[in-house]
């Protein structure tokens, strides 16, 4: 029996994704696409696909219309021609391949990925809305733990994964957060506007932690869930470490990203 995805097509698709990143600077939205497909996982549910996770369900309109997924239809539009070109790759694998490749191409660590995720077959298998984190809850640290612990992730992984906000911008018309534009975003690259967490928002490094710690620049975004990383005592241990040591951040981030990318997935072959 054939595996869920063809290895040669995965390798070829990765080159096409690299080309897409170089021409459209879509690193942030591809990272978000992978995360939002896998981040619906509930470790308390055993059955696939009811448990959510990295299963390609985000390709269906019913899930794309969830509030947390505003704007991700644009990521799907970027991915669909690659999916059409390489039909022997599952959507679940393609979304995670795109996310990991975007991190690496932005200067981030090599992610120890594995492939073979099986796709759900229809929109009735999409998870219910409300599984993804919210940017401005009343108790940000508690909210992050509620969502990420449900996925089986711990405090270290929460803080490391938050560091991916070193990439990208928040757009008020999508999320309700951030300024319409800043000196860092008014000229793009890509569509201008939004508010970034870092000055170089297409470069993956540890500047997110440095900027949140300093809070010196009014043009950079700090959400309540970002500020919580330095306010909560357990989170702060890791946030301080990553602000001081980029190598430590890259190591922990790569491991956490790989774990997130496999949450809830059914692999074929199983290994």
């Amino acid at each position: 029996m054939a595996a869920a995805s063809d290895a040669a097509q995965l390798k070829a698709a990765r080159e096409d994704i690299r080309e897409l990143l170089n021409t459209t600077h879509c690193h942030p939205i591809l990272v978000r696409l992978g995360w939002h497909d896998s981040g619906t996982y509930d470790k308390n549910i055993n059955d696939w696909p009811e448990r959510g996770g990295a299963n390609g369900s985000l390709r269906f309109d019913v899930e794309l219309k969830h509030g947390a997924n505003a704007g991700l239809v644009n990521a799907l539009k970027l991915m669909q021609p690659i999916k059409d070109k390489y039909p022997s790759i599952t959507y679940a694998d393609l979304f995670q391949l795109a996310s990991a490749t975007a991190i690496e191409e932005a200067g981030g660590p090599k992610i120890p990925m594995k492939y073979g995720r099986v796709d759900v077959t229809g929109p009735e298998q999409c998870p219910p809305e409300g599984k993804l984190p919210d940017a401005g809850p009343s108790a940000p640290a508690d909210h992050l733990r509620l969502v990420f612990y449900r996925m089986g992730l711990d405090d270290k992984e929460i803080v490391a994964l938050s560091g991916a906000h070193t990439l990208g911008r928040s757009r008020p018309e999508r999320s309700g957060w951030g300024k319409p534009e800043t000196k860092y975003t008014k000229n793009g690259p890509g569509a201008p506007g939004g508010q970034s967490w870092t000055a170089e928002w297409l470069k993956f490094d540890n500047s997110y932690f440095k900027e949140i710690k300093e809070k010196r620049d009014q043009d950079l975004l700090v959400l309540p869930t970002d500020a919580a990383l330095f306010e909560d005592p357990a989170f702060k241990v890791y946030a301080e470490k990553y602000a001081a040591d980029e190598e430590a951040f890259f190591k922990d981030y790569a491991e956490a990203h790989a774990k997130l990318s496999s949450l809830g997935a059914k692999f074929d072959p199983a290994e």
Side-chain angles (χ1 to χ4, degrees):
M1 174 167 173
S5 292
D6 177 77
Q9 289 201 11
L10 279 164
K11 284 182 175 145
R14 184 170 62 186
E15 294 313 309
D16 286 18
I17 291 165
R18 282 185 174 139
E19 184 60 31
L20 182 72
L21 290 162
N22 284 331
T23 52
T24 64
H25 309 292
C26 60
H27 306 65
I29 203 168
L30 294 190
V31 174
R32 191 166 155 238
L33 178 71
W35 279 38
H36 283 215
D37 195 43
S38 63
T40 59
Y41 175 60
D42 187 337
K43 70 173 199 260
N44 304 306
I45 301 172
N46 286 324
D47 291 344
W48 184 93
E50 290 79 2
R51 63 193 183 205
N55 59 28
S57 61
L58 190 47
R59 72 189 189 272
F60 293 113
D61 282 351
V62 60
E63 190 170 341
L64 280 171
K65 290 195 168 84
H66 291 176
N69 293 329
L72 280 178
V73 64
N74 298 316
L76 191 66
K77 283 176 185 162
L78 291 168
M79 287 293 98
Q80 194 57 52
I82 298 178
K83 175 70 174 111
D84 294 342
K85 185 175 171 184
Y86 302 108
S88 295
I89 301 178
T90 60
Y91 280 98
D93 272 350
L94 183 63
F95 294 167
Q96 300 308 326
L97 174 68
S99 179
T101 305
I103 296 288
E104 292 169 16
E105 291 294 303
K110 176 92 178 137
I111 316 280
M113 297 290 288
K114 58 180 183 177
Y115 295 97
R117 296 167 189 77
V118 177
D119 275 344
V120 296
T121 51
E124 70 284 351
Q125 294 175 305
C126 288
E129 188 162 5
K131 298 272 191 176
L132 294 164
D134 181 19
S138 53
D142 292 347
H143 174 73
L144 285 173
R145 288 195 173 96
L146 189 71
V147 171
F148 283 93
Y149 285 10
R150 187 208 72 227
M151 295 183 214
L153 299 168
D154 63 20
D155 285 358
K156 178 169 88 167
E157 289 160 333
I158 291 171
V159 180
L161 290 169
S162 297
H165 274 157
T166 193
L167 294 179
R169 302 167 279 178
S170 180
R171 293 184 173 277
E173 70 275 15
R174 289 183 194 167
S175 67
W177 292 92
K179 298 178 179 177
E181 69 168 38
T182 69
K183 64 177 178 273
Y184 300 117
T185 67
K186 66 180 193 289
N187 298 317
Q195 186 174 14
S196 58
W197 287 263
T198 61
E200 291 184 90
W201 47 268
L202 287 173
K203 181 182 176 193
F204 194 94
D205 56 21
N206 69 336
S207 56
Y208 165 82
F209 297 104
K210 294 178 181 173
E211 295 297 352
I212 295 175
K213 186 179 177 179
E214 302 290 344
K215 287 192 186 146
R216 277 186 306 213
D217 192 333
Q218 292 305 302
D219 264 348
L220 296 178
L221 184 61
V222 180
L223 297 171
T225 43
D226 299 317
L229 302 183
F230 281 95
E231 290 162 2
D232 179 89
F235 287 160
K236 188 178 180 190
V237 174
Y238 298 108
E240 291 279 5
K241 179 182 171 184
Y242 299 153
D245 186 345
E246 187 173 81
E247 200 176 319
F249 166 51
F250 274 29
K251 178 182 175 291
D252 290 352
Y253 179 83
E255 290 170 8
H257 183 121
K259 183 172 173 180
L260 176 66
S261 79
S262 294
L263 293 181
K266 179 167 79 177
F267 284 89
D268 174 26
E271 72 276 7

